[in-house]
Amino acid sequence: MSRAILQDYQALHPQGAPQAGWLGRLRQRGLDRFQETGYPTSRDEDWRFVDLAPLTGAEFRVGGDSPAVRPEALAPYRYPGTECMLLVFVNGQFVPGLSDLGSVPAGVTVGSLASITARQTELLGHHLGRYAPIESSGFTALNTALIADGLLLHVARDVQVPRPIHALFVTAGDPAGLATHPRNLVVLEPGARASVIESYAGLSEGAYFTNAVTEAIVGDGAVLEYLKIQRESERAFHVGTTHMRHGRDSRGTSHSVSFGAALCRNNLDVVLDGPGVEAQMLGLYMGRDRQEVDNHTSLLHAHPNCSTREVYKGILDGRAHGVFNGKIYVTPIAQKTDAKQTNRALLLSDHARIDTKPQLEIFADDVKCTHGATVGALDQQASFYLKSRGVAGPLARKILTYAFAAEVLDEIPFPAVRESLEAVVMARLNARGE
Amino acid sequence: MLEIINLHARVGDKQILNGISLQVRVGEVHAIMGPNGSGKSTLAQVLAGHPAYEVTAGQATFQGRDLLDLEPEERARAGLFLAFQYPVEIPGVSNAYFLRAALNEIRKARGQEELDPIDFMDLAEEKLKLVEWGPDILSRAVNAGFSGGEKKRNEILQMAVLEPTLAILDETDSGLDIDALRIVAEGVNRLRRPDNATVVVTHYQRLLNYIVPDFVHVIAAGRIVRSGGRELALELEAKGYEWLTEAVPA
């Protein structure tokens, strides 16, 4: 392991401070694990489709003081039409001056992990690191070793949070060589309801590295709407891992939207830890030039009577490379499982490519599991419809590609967020310059 | 305006049209009727240029141009319009955007200036009246989540905006309740002009109570087996198709 990581680790524990307390022990375990395994390589089955060398071969350091960011610079990444409780993190650190929580309802604890640790140690100690095991990958081990800040949300039993909570992680200043390891924890107690938007944005172009881990616990009968929006610099590296654990009769939808980064890897790990869960996993990713976008999802049906729907769509242009690996595991007791997985990719150029791998492992007999994958060109019937209205060529391609993406974005329940992301899709299609 | 001579077409290995000849002059309304599988919808699709169909013989001329030599979009820009039996959903793309895009492609082809969004909205509001719709429909995504009736109405709205010289309505009446049928038919009637023409493809006589044809043609096994005036449709209503189709070899 590089000296740099060790120094970053030591910086979290100023001289004389012992590696004590549950957080210290957690970090230490993360560090030990990372020292053992290091980063994954393409020899690891879970990482074989992408070349991690440009990321793992470079040296990234956790930053010092975060640079000043003007609120206007955040405008493109905020969604003013949807009133949110906003937490802004610049280069990994919470910036209260840019954040706006407004009034926090009773029963809701929300804030920056770093500022809350002292008061909420019991809560954090109980959950943090429990759902994102350090064994799951070197990246998670590294994130755990360097836990410093991120979103903490706790919603008490039966409390509904009226406004979405938006945690916006921006990288600014001169970001080359910078690493951030955001760590987020979302806990919905039984019957609680909340919406969380976790978004990443590059305010400056550069080869920096974001390595985020989110743990979300959706208690019995709770409802979580979760959006992850990745708009990093197209030279950056982004590894984002979300572990979601669902209690009995809970509901949850995860929307994952990726536009940025030279190399993006999204891991979504969903565990249905009780019967009667309804969960959806929706994804849209776009890649151009030489972008690599890798989506790995894993869904564990561990109890009966759960239904899940997964739809991932990709649009790849230039020499971009996409990966979709969707694992569904149904245990022997998970009878009456209804699991539907679809992944579709559009390749807009001859040089774009996709690796797609559905992985269904089903050990119960009374289940309904389907998966479908399509890769290719635009829908012929729709193309003909447009032509029959005089619309052909690049304009028709643009409209149909946009529609392909919009079908996923349409399911985002916040109009301002949806429209803003649709505008990004449209701008990217316009930028193709046909 | 449209002249079809001995048109043969197939999809894959299946021959569907076996020598259709038909002449449509300006100002006329023709109804094409026939049992399921007779080839009447195929004729509509072939005229619009659907790539799944291959023309194996025959000719079609539209306003003096070789129709079969034109790409589907060129046919549309030349003034041909097909109202689809199953209109396609285009999620995320608003009706307003789509209609303006289509209209501007056609205006460009006619050598007219493109309309900006404001001028377009003025025009669209006029056209909406034809199908008895409010402006809300313009901000909805094209056909996405529309009922069957709304989709057919939307086809007529497109027709109203694009002002084709030849409109082919492919089973526009199927799946419509009586109110929707009336709205759609009245829209079509109000779009009739001495300088355009309409071809109505339908299985049922019902639509022809509203859109009164000058000529009725019956297709069976890919050929026109009988042509006549409006009374032919009424005769079909009374007697069914069998008396006409029995004589035709399969």
Side-chain angles (χ1 to χ4, degrees):
Chain A
M1 183 181 61
S2 82
R3 249 171 67 89
I5 287 170
L6 208 53
Q7 285 170 357
D8 284 343
Y9 175 75
Q10 282 156 354
L12 288 170
H13 301 277
Q15 284 180 339
Q19 299 287 303
W22 64 270
L23 184 57
R25 285 194 299 275
L26 183 62
R27 285 178 180 144
Q28 183 68 53
R29 285 200 291 122
L31 185 76
D32 293 347
R33 176 72 190 181
F34 186 72
Q35 274 178 318
E36 236 171 78
T37 64
Y39 289 113
T41 70
S42 47
R43 286 187 301 278
D44 293 282
E45 179 61 23
D46 266 355
W47 297 85
R48 70 186 174 96
F49 293 113
V50 287
D51 180 15
L52 290 172
L55 162 60
T56 57
E59 190 163 277
F60 294 97
R61 295 294 305 268
V62 170
D65 292 337
S66 55
V69 168
R70 285 143 43 95
E72 305 87 80
L74 301 177
Y77 306 101
R78 295 188 51 184
Y79 311 103
T82 299
E83 210 187 311
C84 293
M85 301 166 89
L86 178 70
L87 292 96
V88 176
F89 298 82
V90 177
N91 294 4
Q93 288 176 24
F94 180 59
V95 181
L98 293 171
S99 303
D100 182 8
L101 286 173
S103 70
V104 178
V108 179
T109 304
V110 57
S112 129
L113 197 73
S115 62
I116 282 179
T117 43
R119 289 192 282 122
Q120 297 285 338
T121 48
E122 200 185 322
L123 172 73
L124 287 173
H126 182 69
H127 291 294
L128 208 62
R130 198 168 160 176
Y131 313 98
I134 51 172
E135 294 79 17
S136 58
S137 91
F139 289 104
T140 298
L142 178 62
N143 175 286
T144 306
L146 299 174
I147 286 177
D149 212 347
L151 166 71
L152 172 72
L153 172 67
H154 177 264
V155 185
R157 203 177 182 100
D158 295 327
V159 170
Q160 300 195 4
V161 191
R163 290 176 293 152
I165 292 109
H166 182 188
L168 171 56
F169 297 88
V170 301
T171 304
D174 175 13
L178 183 75
T180 61
H181 302 275
R183 181 68 174 230
N184 306 307
L185 178 66
V186 172
V187 181
L188 304 191
E189 296 293 349
R193 267 174 184 261
S195 300
V196 174
I197 303 170
E198 178 188 324
S199 70
Y200 298 88
L203 299 188
S204 321
E205 289 298 316
Y208 60 87
F209 172 35
T210 303
N211 176 34
V213 173
T214 298
E215 294 171 274
I217 298 93
V218 190
D220 293 353
V223 181
L224 175 66
E225 195 82 37
Y226 170 77
L227 274 77
K228 189 200 160 193
I229 301 166
Q230 186 272 100
R231 296 170 67 184
E232 306 273 23
S233 156
E234 285 179 38
R235 293 176 58 201
F237 299 93
H238 178 97
V239 178
T241 301
T242 300
H243 291 267
M244 212 176 271
R245 180 200 154 281
H246 278 275
R248 164 190 288 266
D249 296 325
S250 62
R251 279 191 282 144
T253 302
S254 152
H255 309 257
S256 166
V257 181
S258 293
F259 296 122
L263 169 61
C264 169
R265 166 69 176 246
N266 297 311
N267 300 304
L268 176 60
D269 181 60
V270 177
V271 176
L272 310 183
D273 200 12
V277 178
E278 279 176 39
Q280 302 193 84
M281 303 149 83
L282 310 172
L284 173 69
Y285 55 93
M286 288 182 87
R288 61 184 170 191
D289 302 329
R290 289 179 180 274
Q291 281 184 292
E292 298 221 49
V293 204
D294 179 346
N295 280 289
H296 266 62
T297 68
S298 157
L299 173 58
L300 173 62
H301 274 267
H303 289 269
N305 296 309
C306 294
S307 68
T308 55
R309 181 172 79 99
E310 179 172 12
V311 180
Y312 268 71
K313 283 187 169 189
I315 299 170
L316 299 166
D317 198 2
R319 294 180 172 274
H321 173 215
V323 178
F324 174 80
N325 189 120
K327 193 187 291 180
I328 298 178
Y329 189 97
V330 181
T331 65
I333 66 155
Q335 300 296 1
K336 306 281 181 199
T337 286
D338 185 352
K340 205 178 289 165
Q341 181 190 82
T342 311
N343 85 84
R344 294 175 63 191
L346 271 186
L347 305 179
L348 300 184
S349 92
D350 291 342
H351 300 291
R353 64 200 173 90
I354 173 97
D355 289 295
T356 161
K357 187 178 163 198
Q359 243 180 302
L360 274 60
E361 296 178 42
I362 300 163
F363 296 97
D365 45 26
D366 184 13
V367 300
K368 210 162 79 188
C369 293
T370 61
H371 73 90
T374 60
V375 173
L378 293 161
D379 181 67
Q380 212 193 32
Q381 189 61 20
S383 281
F384 175 60
Y385 189 64
L386 265 63
K387 283 181 182 174
S388 78
R389 301 298 178 252
V391 179
L395 177 60
R397 245 190 329 273
K398 187 172 86 176
I399 289 176
L400 292 175
T401 307
Y402 178 76
F404 178 84
E407 207 175 0
V408 181
L409 298 178
D410 266 356
E411 301 205 37
I412 294 175
F414 313 113
V417 179
R418 185 173 65 228
E419 283 159 22
S420 168
L421 296 175
E422 284 175 353
V424 175
V425 173
M426 189 45 102
R428 277 185 75 140
L429 294 177
N430 285 335
R432 298 190 76 223
E434 277 188 338
Chain B
M1 172 178 289
L2 175 70
E3 186 157 23
I4 304 170
I5 302 168
N6 192 31
L7 189 65
H8 288 67
R10 67 179 180 199
V11 58
D13 290 336
K14 198 176 169 207
Q15 193 71 31
I16 300 179
L17 299 185
N18 295 305
I20 298 266
S21 295
L22 177 68
Q23 199 172 12
V24 179
R25 285 174 293 260
V26 286
E28 292 177 349
V29 175
H30 290 244
I32 297 186
M33 303 186 69
N36 290 329
S38 59
K40 58 190 191 301
S41 276
T42 297
L43 176 61
Q45 301 272 334
V46 167
L47 291 176
H50 195 293
Y53 299 95
E54 189 195 343
V55 173
T56 50
Q59 296 164 20
T61 329
F62 176 55
Q63 294 182 312
R65 296 171 76 179
D66 178 359
L67 186 67
L68 303 178
D69 197 36
L70 300 178
E71 292 297 323
E73 63 274 19
E74 293 170 325
R75 301 180 195 197
R77 293 168 192 164
L80 185 136
F81 179 88
L82 172 67
F84 279 53
Q85 185 177 0
Y86 303 108
V88 174
E89 299 190 7
I90 313 175
V93 178
S94 74
N95 243 341
Y97 179 91
F98 178 62
L99 279 169
R100 189 167 74 89
L103 178 61
N104 279 338
E105 290 300 310
I106 287 167
R107 288 178 66 92
K108 271 193 281 183
R110 290 182 193 148
Q112 296 169 317
E113 253 180 66
E114 294 183 46
L115 290 188
D116 63 30
I118 296 165
D119 288 340
F120 171 76
M121 287 312 272
D122 290 343
L123 176 135
E125 275 176 33
E126 263 324 290
K127 305 294 183 182
L128 281 167
K129 291 179 192 160
L130 276 167
V131 285
E132 301 179 26
W133 250 342
D136 293 356
I137 203 76
L138 294 176
S139 52
R140 285 176 63 187
V142 182
N143 295 328
F146 281 31
S147 69
E150 285 177 323
K151 285 181 181 172
K152 297 297 176 75
R153 231 158 128 183
N154 210 24
E155 294 291 284
I156 304 306
L157 174 63
Q158 292 178 14
M159 177 178 156
V161 169
L162 302 180
E163 297 185 312
T165 41
L166 175 65
I168 303 167
L169 312 180
D170 186 8
E171 309 236 5
T172 299
D173 51 334
S174 66
L176 292 188
D177 64 31
I178 200 75
D179 288 332
L181 184 69
R182 179 189 58 77
I183 291 169
V184 162
E186 278 180 14
V188 173
N189 285 335
R190 278 146 79 184
L191 291 168
R192 278 186 75 172
R193 291 196 322 235
D195 62 346
N196 67 18
T198 311
V199 174
V200 180
V201 175
T202 182
H203 185 83
Y204 301 104
Q205 203 284 132
R206 187 177 72 149
L207 179 65
L208 306 180
N209 291 334
Y210 298 90
I211 303 173
V212 178
D214 301 303
F215 300 95
V216 174
H217 312 275
V218 181
I219 292 192
R223 283 191 194 94
I224 292 182
V225 293
R226 180 70 66 99
S227 294
R230 194 195 165 199
E231 65 289 347
L232 177 56
L234 298 169
E235 204 175 344
L236 287 167
E237 170 100 327
K239 293 160 72 175
Y241 285 110
E242 291 75 9
W243 64 286
L244 280 174
T245 56
E246 270 163 6
V248 179

